[in-house]
Short mmCIF file of all heavy atoms in Angstrom, two decimals:
data_model
loop_
_atom_site.label_atom_id
_atom_site.label_comp_id
_atom_site.label_asym_id
_atom_site.label_seq_id
_atom_site.Cartn_x
_atom_site.Cartn_y
_atom_site.Cartn_z
N GLY K 245 -189.50 -137.31 38.94
CA GLY K 245 -189.69 -138.68 38.70
C GLY K 245 -188.87 -139.56 39.51
O GLY K 245 -188.91 -140.81 39.32
N VAL K 246 -188.11 -139.02 40.33
CA VAL K 246 -187.25 -139.79 41.16
C VAL K 246 -187.89 -140.86 42.14
O VAL K 246 -187.32 -141.91 42.39
CB VAL K 246 -186.31 -138.93 42.09
CG1 VAL K 246 -187.13 -138.31 43.21
CG2 VAL K 246 -185.01 -139.68 42.51
N GLU K 247 -189.14 -140.58 42.25
CA GLU K 247 -189.85 -141.60 43.19
C GLU K 247 -190.51 -142.73 42.43
O GLU K 247 -191.04 -143.66 43.12
CB GLU K 247 -190.86 -140.88 43.97
CG GLU K 247 -190.35 -139.84 45.00
CD GLU K 247 -191.39 -139.33 45.90
OE1 GLU K 247 -192.25 -138.37 45.34
OE2 GLU K 247 -191.60 -139.70 47.03
N THR K 248 -190.61 -142.65 41.15
CA THR K 248 -191.15 -143.63 40.28
C THR K 248 -190.22 -144.79 40.19
O THR K 248 -188.89 -144.76 40.47
CB THR K 248 -191.59 -143.17 38.98
OG1 THR K 248 -190.36 -142.96 38.21
CG2 THR K 248 -192.31 -141.91 38.99
N THR K 249 -190.70 -146.03 39.94
CA THR K 249 -189.90 -147.20 39.70
C THR K 249 -189.60 -147.46 38.22
O THR K 249 -189.14 -148.39 37.76
CB THR K 249 -190.46 -148.46 40.18
OG1 THR K 249 -191.83 -148.53 39.57
CG2 THR K 249 -190.72 -148.27 41.82
N ARG K 250 -190.05 -146.38 37.36
CA ARG K 250 -189.81 -146.60 35.90
C ARG K 250 -188.26 -146.61 35.44
O ARG K 250 -187.43 -146.06 36.07
CB ARG K 250 -190.57 -145.49 35.03
CG ARG K 250 -189.82 -144.08 35.31
CD ARG K 250 -190.62 -142.99 34.56
NE ARG K 250 -190.54 -142.99 33.18
CZ ARG K 250 -189.57 -142.47 32.40
NH1 ARG K 250 -188.54 -141.95 33.04
NH2 ARG K 250 -189.43 -142.62 31.11
N ALA K 251 -188.02 -147.44 34.37
CA ALA K 251 -186.64 -147.39 33.95
C ALA K 251 -186.23 -146.14 33.30
O ALA K 251 -187.05 -145.44 32.78
CB ALA K 251 -186.51 -148.61 32.98
N ARG K 252 -184.96 -145.96 33.27
CA ARG K 252 -184.38 -144.85 32.58
C ARG K 252 -183.41 -145.24 31.47
O ARG K 252 -182.48 -145.98 31.74
CB ARG K 252 -183.68 -143.86 33.58
CG ARG K 252 -184.71 -143.06 34.60
CD ARG K 252 -184.08 -142.39 35.74
NE ARG K 252 -185.04 -141.81 36.50
CZ ARG K 252 -185.32 -140.52 36.52
NH1 ARG K 252 -184.93 -139.72 35.60
NH2 ARG K 252 -186.27 -140.07 37.42
N ARG K 253 -183.58 -144.75 30.24
CA ARG K 253 -182.67 -145.16 29.13
C ARG K 253 -181.40 -144.40 29.18
O ARG K 253 -180.24 -144.88 28.88
CB ARG K 253 -183.41 -144.88 27.91
CG ARG K 253 -184.61 -145.88 27.58
CD ARG K 253 -185.10 -145.55 26.27
NE ARG K 253 -186.27 -146.36 25.98
CZ ARG K 253 -186.33 -147.70 25.50
NH1 ARG K 253 -185.15 -148.14 25.15
NH2 ARG K 253 -187.37 -148.35 25.35
N GLU K 254 -181.42 -143.10 29.53
CA GLU K 254 -180.23 -142.31 29.33
C GLU K 254 -179.57 -141.68 30.60
O GLU K 254 -178.64 -141.03 30.49
CB GLU K 254 -180.73 -141.10 28.41
CG GLU K 254 -181.02 -141.57 26.92
CD GLU K 254 -179.94 -142.16 26.19
OE1 GLU K 254 -178.73 -141.83 26.51
OE2 GLU K 254 -180.14 -142.94 25.42
N ALA K 255 -180.08 -141.78 31.73
CA ALA K 255 -179.60 -141.21 32.87
C ALA K 255 -179.87 -142.06 34.17
O ALA K 255 -180.16 -141.67 35.19
CB ALA K 255 -180.21 -139.84 33.17
N ALA K 256 -179.72 -143.42 33.91
CA ALA K 256 -180.05 -144.33 35.03
C ALA K 256 -179.11 -144.24 36.18
O ALA K 256 -179.63 -144.29 37.36
CB ALA K 256 -180.01 -145.85 34.36
N ALA K 257 -177.74 -144.00 36.04
CA ALA K 257 -176.99 -143.94 37.07
C ALA K 257 -177.23 -142.71 37.81
O ALA K 257 -177.21 -142.80 39.17
CB ALA K 257 -175.50 -143.98 36.59
N TYR K 258 -177.49 -141.64 37.23
CA TYR K 258 -177.87 -140.28 37.92
C TYR K 258 -179.10 -140.53 38.65
O TYR K 258 -179.27 -140.11 39.83
CB TYR K 258 -178.09 -139.32 36.85
CG TYR K 258 -178.47 -137.98 37.45
CD1 TYR K 258 -177.69 -137.15 38.13
CD2 TYR K 258 -179.73 -137.52 37.07
CE1 TYR K 258 -178.10 -135.88 38.67
CE2 TYR K 258 -180.30 -136.36 37.64
CZ TYR K 258 -179.44 -135.46 38.33
OH TYR K 258 -179.91 -134.30 38.80
N GLY K 259 -180.04 -141.15 38.12
CA GLY K 259 -181.48 -141.39 38.73
C GLY K 259 -181.23 -142.30 40.04
O GLY K 259 -181.85 -142.08 41.03
N ALA K 260 -180.37 -143.32 39.88
CA ALA K 260 -180.21 -144.15 41.09
C ALA K 260 -179.52 -143.31 42.20
O ALA K 260 -179.87 -143.50 43.40
CB ALA K 260 -179.26 -145.23 40.67
N ALA K 261 -178.61 -142.44 41.87
CA ALA K 261 -178.05 -141.63 42.95
C ALA K 261 -179.09 -140.83 43.53
O ALA K 261 -179.02 -140.54 44.78
CB ALA K 261 -176.88 -140.82 42.39
N LYS K 262 -179.90 -140.10 42.83
CA LYS K 262 -180.86 -139.23 43.29
C LYS K 262 -182.00 -140.00 44.07
O LYS K 262 -182.49 -139.56 45.06
CB LYS K 262 -181.54 -138.38 42.22
CG LYS K 262 -180.67 -137.38 41.57
CD LYS K 262 -180.12 -136.35 42.59
CE LYS K 262 -179.44 -135.17 41.97
NZ LYS K 262 -178.86 -134.34 43.03
N ALA K 263 -182.28 -141.23 43.63
CA ALA K 263 -183.13 -142.06 44.41
C ALA K 263 -182.67 -142.43 45.71
O ALA K 263 -183.33 -142.53 46.86
CB ALA K 263 -183.55 -143.35 43.60
N ALA K 264 -181.36 -142.78 45.83
CA ALA K 264 -180.70 -142.99 47.08
C ALA K 264 -180.73 -141.79 47.97
O ALA K 264 -180.95 -141.84 49.19
CB ALA K 264 -179.26 -143.39 46.83
N LEU K 265 -180.55 -140.64 47.36
CA LEU K 265 -180.69 -139.31 48.19
C LEU K 265 -182.13 -139.07 48.85
O LEU K 265 -182.07 -138.62 49.93
CB LEU K 265 -180.26 -138.19 47.28
CG LEU K 265 -180.24 -136.77 47.95
CD1 LEU K 265 -179.15 -136.71 49.03
CD2 LEU K 265 -179.99 -135.73 46.89
N VAL K 266 -183.03 -139.44 48.09
CA VAL K 266 -184.39 -139.26 48.63
C VAL K 266 -184.59 -140.18 49.79
O VAL K 266 -185.22 -139.72 50.77
CB VAL K 266 -185.45 -139.64 47.50
CG1 VAL K 266 -186.86 -139.73 48.11
CG2 VAL K 266 -185.52 -138.38 46.45
N VAL K 267 -184.13 -141.47 49.72
CA VAL K 267 -184.32 -142.36 50.78
C VAL K 267 -183.54 -141.78 52.04
O VAL K 267 -184.15 -141.81 53.14
CB VAL K 267 -183.68 -143.74 50.52
CG1 VAL K 267 -183.60 -144.69 51.73
CG2 VAL K 267 -184.48 -144.43 49.32
N LEU K 268 -182.32 -141.16 51.96
CA LEU K 268 -181.69 -140.66 52.91
C LEU K 268 -182.41 -139.48 53.46
O LEU K 268 -182.50 -139.17 54.80
CB LEU K 268 -180.22 -140.25 52.52
CG LEU K 268 -179.17 -141.42 52.33
CD1 LEU K 268 -177.94 -140.89 51.90
CD2 LEU K 268 -179.03 -142.08 53.73
N ALA K 269 -182.97 -138.67 52.63
CA ALA K 269 -183.60 -137.41 53.07
C ALA K 269 -184.82 -137.71 53.95
O ALA K 269 -185.11 -136.97 54.94
CB ALA K 269 -184.09 -136.72 51.80
N ARG K 270 -185.60 -138.80 53.59
CA ARG K 270 -186.81 -139.11 54.43
C ARG K 270 -186.38 -139.59 55.62
O ARG K 270 -186.91 -139.50 56.71
CB ARG K 270 -187.58 -140.02 53.47
CG ARG K 270 -188.37 -139.24 52.45
CD ARG K 270 -189.40 -140.06 51.87
NE ARG K 270 -190.39 -139.31 51.21
CZ ARG K 270 -190.86 -139.47 50.01
NH1 ARG K 270 -190.57 -140.62 49.38
NH2 ARG K 270 -191.76 -138.69 49.33
N SER K 271 -185.14 -140.42 55.68
CA SER K 271 -184.64 -140.95 56.92
C SER K 271 -184.12 -139.80 57.78
O SER K 271 -184.45 -139.86 59.01
CB SER K 271 -183.63 -141.98 56.68
OG SER K 271 -183.99 -142.98 55.83
N TRP K 272 -183.50 -138.90 57.22
CA TRP K 272 -183.06 -137.81 58.00
C TRP K 272 -184.28 -136.89 58.65
O TRP K 272 -184.33 -136.49 59.72
CB TRP K 272 -182.23 -136.75 57.21
CG TRP K 272 -180.84 -137.18 57.11
CD1 TRP K 272 -180.01 -137.75 58.03
CD2 TRP K 272 -180.00 -137.20 55.85
NE1 TRP K 272 -178.75 -138.14 57.48
CE2 TRP K 272 -178.66 -137.60 56.15
CE3 TRP K 272 -180.34 -136.74 54.49
CZ2 TRP K 272 -177.76 -137.68 55.14
CZ3 TRP K 272 -179.22 -136.74 53.62
CH2 TRP K 272 -177.98 -137.25 53.88
N ALA K 273 -185.33 -136.82 57.70
CA ALA K 273 -186.52 -136.12 58.24
C ALA K 273 -187.05 -136.75 59.43
O ALA K 273 -187.49 -136.13 60.32
CB ALA K 273 -187.54 -136.01 57.04
N LEU K 274 -187.15 -138.05 59.40
CA LEU K 274 -187.73 -138.85 60.55
C LEU K 274 -186.85 -138.66 61.78
O LEU K 274 -187.33 -138.44 62.88
CB LEU K 274 -187.68 -140.30 60.10
CG LEU K 274 -188.36 -141.30 61.08
CD1 LEU K 274 -189.81 -140.90 61.39
CD2 LEU K 274 -188.37 -142.72 60.78
N GLU K 275 -185.51 -138.74 61.62
CA GLU K 275 -184.58 -138.46 62.77
C GLU K 275 -184.58 -137.28 63.39
O GLU K 275 -184.54 -137.12 64.59
CB GLU K 275 -183.19 -138.94 62.35
CG GLU K 275 -182.92 -140.45 62.08
CD GLU K 275 -181.58 -140.85 61.84
OE1 GLU K 275 -180.75 -139.89 62.01
OE2 GLU K 275 -181.29 -142.04 61.59
N GLU K 276 -184.65 -136.19 62.43
CA GLU K 276 -184.66 -134.92 62.94
C GLU K 276 -185.83 -134.22 63.37
O GLU K 276 -185.79 -133.17 64.02
CB GLU K 276 -183.81 -133.91 61.84
CG GLU K 276 -182.48 -134.43 61.50
CD GLU K 276 -181.55 -134.45 62.76
OE1 GLU K 276 -181.60 -133.43 63.52
OE2 GLU K 276 -180.85 -135.36 62.85
N ALA K 277 -186.92 -134.82 63.07
CA ALA K 277 -188.33 -134.16 63.42
C ALA K 277 -188.37 -133.83 64.85
O ALA K 277 -188.99 -132.86 65.21
CB ALA K 277 -189.44 -135.05 62.85
N PRO K 278 -188.02 -134.79 65.73
CA PRO K 278 -188.08 -134.47 67.22
C PRO K 278 -187.22 -133.18 67.63
O PRO K 278 -187.47 -132.73 68.68
CB PRO K 278 -187.54 -135.88 67.91
CG PRO K 278 -187.77 -136.81 66.84
CD PRO K 278 -187.42 -136.15 65.60
N HIS K 279 -186.38 -132.86 66.84
CA HIS K 279 -185.42 -131.75 67.11
C HIS K 279 -185.98 -130.54 66.41
O HIS K 279 -185.25 -129.45 66.52
CB HIS K 279 -184.01 -132.08 66.82
CG HIS K 279 -183.43 -133.25 67.39
ND1 HIS K 279 -183.05 -133.38 68.64
CD2 HIS K 279 -183.25 -134.61 66.82
CE1 HIS K 279 -182.61 -134.48 68.96
NE2 HIS K 279 -182.78 -135.38 67.98
N GLY K 280 -187.16 -130.58 65.71
CA GLY K 280 -187.62 -129.40 65.05
C GLY K 280 -187.11 -129.16 63.79
O GLY K 280 -187.30 -128.05 63.12
N VAL K 281 -186.15 -129.97 63.31
CA VAL K 281 -185.53 -129.70 61.91
C VAL K 281 -186.34 -130.51 60.80
O VAL K 281 -186.58 -131.61 60.85
CB VAL K 281 -184.08 -130.25 61.94
CG1 VAL K 281 -183.38 -130.12 60.49
CG2 VAL K 281 -183.28 -129.50 63.01
N ARG K 282 -186.65 -129.64 59.67
CA ARG K 282 -187.34 -130.20 58.60
C ARG K 282 -186.38 -130.59 57.45
O ARG K 282 -185.45 -129.87 57.23
CB ARG K 282 -188.45 -129.35 58.06
CG ARG K 282 -189.48 -128.98 59.15
CD ARG K 282 -190.53 -128.03 58.66
NE ARG K 282 -190.03 -126.73 58.36
CZ ARG K 282 -189.88 -126.26 57.09
NH1 ARG K 282 -190.11 -126.99 56.07
NH2 ARG K 282 -189.39 -125.08 56.85
N VAL K 283 -186.70 -131.72 56.81
CA VAL K 283 -185.76 -132.09 55.70
C VAL K 283 -186.67 -132.43 54.34
O VAL K 283 -187.58 -133.34 54.60
CB VAL K 283 -184.94 -133.15 56.02
CG1 VAL K 283 -183.87 -133.60 54.79
CG2 VAL K 283 -184.09 -133.03 57.18
N ASN K 284 -186.49 -131.70 53.33
CA ASN K 284 -187.28 -131.88 52.14
C ASN K 284 -186.55 -131.90 50.92
O ASN K 284 -185.30 -131.60 51.02
CB ASN K 284 -188.33 -130.84 52.00
CG ASN K 284 -189.45 -130.84 53.13
OD1 ASN K 284 -190.22 -131.83 53.21
ND2 ASN K 284 -189.51 -129.87 54.03
N VAL K 285 -187.22 -132.33 49.82
CA VAL K 285 -186.36 -132.33 48.45
C VAL K 285 -187.09 -131.65 47.55
O VAL K 285 -188.35 -131.72 47.43
CB VAL K 285 -186.33 -133.83 48.07
CG1 VAL K 285 -185.66 -133.99 46.80
CG2 VAL K 285 -185.48 -134.71 49.14
N VAL K 286 -186.48 -130.92 46.71
CA VAL K 286 -186.97 -130.26 45.50
C VAL K 286 -186.42 -131.00 44.31
O VAL K 286 -185.45 -131.36 44.22
CB VAL K 286 -186.79 -128.77 45.47
CG1 VAL K 286 -185.31 -128.51 45.39
CG2 VAL K 286 -187.47 -128.03 44.25
N ALA K 287 -187.47 -131.30 43.47
CA ALA K 287 -187.09 -132.11 42.20
C ALA K 287 -187.46 -131.41 40.93
O ALA K 287 -188.65 -131.49 40.40
CB ALA K 287 -187.84 -133.46 42.31
N PRO K 288 -186.56 -130.75 40.34
CA PRO K 288 -186.79 -129.95 39.10
C PRO K 288 -186.91 -130.94 37.95
O PRO K 288 -186.35 -132.15 37.90
CB PRO K 288 -185.52 -129.15 38.87
CG PRO K 288 -184.89 -129.07 40.23
CD PRO K 288 -185.21 -130.42 40.87
N GLY K 289 -187.74 -130.42 36.97
CA GLY K 289 -187.90 -131.20 35.67
C GLY K 289 -186.99 -130.62 34.70
O GLY K 289 -185.72 -130.42 34.85
N VAL K 290 -187.44 -130.27 33.54
CA VAL K 290 -186.78 -129.68 32.38
C VAL K 290 -186.61 -128.17 32.58
O VAL K 290 -187.43 -127.53 32.42
CB VAL K 290 -187.40 -129.99 30.97
CG1 VAL K 290 -186.52 -129.51 29.87
CG2 VAL K 290 -187.63 -131.53 30.85
N VAL K 291 -185.46 -127.78 33.14
CA VAL K 291 -185.20 -126.42 33.43
C VAL K 291 -184.01 -125.92 32.90
O VAL K 291 -182.79 -126.00 33.42
CB VAL K 291 -185.15 -126.19 34.98
CG1 VAL K 291 -185.18 -124.69 35.35
CG2 VAL K 291 -186.52 -126.89 35.72
N PRO K 292 -183.96 -125.39 31.60
CA PRO K 292 -182.75 -124.94 31.03
C PRO K 292 -182.22 -123.76 31.72
O PRO K 292 -182.93 -122.83 32.31
CB PRO K 292 -183.11 -124.41 29.76
CG PRO K 292 -184.59 -125.18 29.40
CD PRO K 292 -185.12 -125.34 30.77
N HIS K 293 -180.83 -123.73 31.80
CA HIS K 293 -180.14 -122.56 32.49
C HIS K 293 -178.57 -122.76 32.05
O HIS K 293 -178.18 -123.68 31.42
CB HIS K 293 -180.43 -122.64 33.98
CG HIS K 293 -179.84 -123.84 34.69
ND1 HIS K 293 -178.55 -124.06 34.95
CD2 HIS K 293 -180.49 -124.94 34.99
CE1 HIS K 293 -178.40 -125.28 35.54
NE2 HIS K 293 -179.55 -125.89 35.50
N ALA K 294 -177.97 -121.70 32.34
CA ALA K 294 -176.56 -121.54 32.03
C ALA K 294 -175.88 -122.78 32.61
O ALA K 294 -176.02 -123.02 33.81
CB ALA K 294 -175.82 -120.31 32.47
N HIS K 295 -175.02 -123.50 31.89
CA HIS K 295 -174.38 -124.71 32.40
C HIS K 295 -175.17 -125.98 32.60
O HIS K 295 -174.76 -126.98 33.10
CB HIS K 295 -173.51 -124.41 33.76
CG HIS K 295 -172.79 -123.12 33.66
ND1 HIS K 295 -171.67 -123.02 32.97
CD2 HIS K 295 -172.90 -122.02 34.31
CE1 HIS K 295 -171.14 -121.84 33.10
NE2 HIS K 295 -171.88 -121.14 33.82
N ALA K 296 -176.44 -125.93 32.21
CA ALA K 296 -177.27 -127.11 32.28
C ALA K 296 -176.97 -128.13 31.14
O ALA K 296 -176.20 -127.61 30.26
CB ALA K 296 -178.78 -126.70 32.13
N SER K 297 -177.36 -129.33 31.37
CA SER K 297 -176.97 -130.33 30.33
C SER K 297 -177.70 -129.87 29.07
O SER K 297 -178.87 -129.36 28.98
CB SER K 297 -177.74 -131.66 30.72
OG SER K 297 -177.57 -132.55 29.70
N ALA K 298 -177.10 -130.11 27.95
CA ALA K 298 -177.54 -129.76 26.60
C ALA K 298 -178.82 -130.32 26.19
O ALA K 298 -179.61 -129.78 25.40
CB ALA K 298 -176.42 -130.18 25.45
N ASP K 299 -179.24 -131.50 26.85
CA ASP K 299 -180.49 -132.14 26.45
C ASP K 299 -181.65 -131.32 26.97
O ASP K 299 -182.80 -131.62 26.49
CB ASP K 299 -180.56 -133.56 26.87
CG ASP K 299 -180.35 -133.88 28.21
OD1 ASP K 299 -180.22 -132.87 29.02
OD2 ASP K 299 -180.43 -134.95 28.72
N THR K 300 -181.47 -130.45 27.91
CA THR K 300 -182.68 -129.59 28.32
C THR K 300 -182.88 -128.41 27.43
O THR K 300 -183.95 -127.72 27.63
CB THR K 300 -182.28 -128.99 29.74
OG1 THR K 300 -181.18 -128.07 29.71
CG2 THR K 300 -181.84 -130.20 30.68
N LEU K 301 -182.08 -128.26 26.36
CA LEU K 301 -182.23 -127.03 25.51
C LEU K 301 -182.98 -127.31 24.24
O LEU K 301 -183.11 -126.52 23.37
CB LEU K 301 -180.78 -126.49 25.19
CG LEU K 301 -179.88 -126.18 26.19
CD1 LEU K 301 -178.59 -125.76 25.74
CD2 LEU K 301 -180.54 -125.24 27.17
N ASP K 302 -183.62 -128.46 24.10
CA ASP K 302 -184.21 -129.06 22.91
C ASP K 302 -185.69 -128.67 23.02
O ASP K 302 -186.47 -129.12 23.85
CB ASP K 302 -184.13 -130.56 22.78
CG ASP K 302 -184.73 -131.03 21.49
OD1 ASP K 302 -185.42 -130.30 20.78
OD2 ASP K 302 -184.79 -132.34 21.39
N PRO K 303 -186.18 -127.70 22.12
CA PRO K 303 -187.68 -127.24 22.20
C PRO K 303 -188.46 -128.43 21.93
O PRO K 303 -189.68 -128.38 22.54
CB PRO K 303 -187.65 -126.25 21.10
CG PRO K 303 -186.21 -125.76 20.94
CD PRO K 303 -185.33 -126.95 21.29
N ALA K 304 -188.12 -129.51 21.28
CA ALA K 304 -189.01 -130.57 21.15
C ALA K 304 -189.28 -131.34 22.43
O ALA K 304 -190.36 -131.90 22.58
CB ALA K 304 -188.49 -131.49 20.06
#
Side-chain angles (χ1 to χ4, degrees):
V246 72
E247 292 186 287
T248 70
T249 56
R250 65 184 292 273
R252 292 174 180 259
R253 291 183 183 275
E254 294 297 333
Y258 173 77
K262 290 303 190 184
L265 182 63
V266 168
V267 172
L268 286 176
R270 287 195 161 134
S271 301
W272 282 318
L274 183 62
E275 288 188 5
E276 297 303 316
H279 303 281
V281 177
R282 299 179 298 106
V283 182
N284 291 294
V285 176
V286 64
V290 181
V291 185
H293 57 86
H295 311 290
S297 174
D299 59 359
T300 67
L301 306 178
D302 181 2

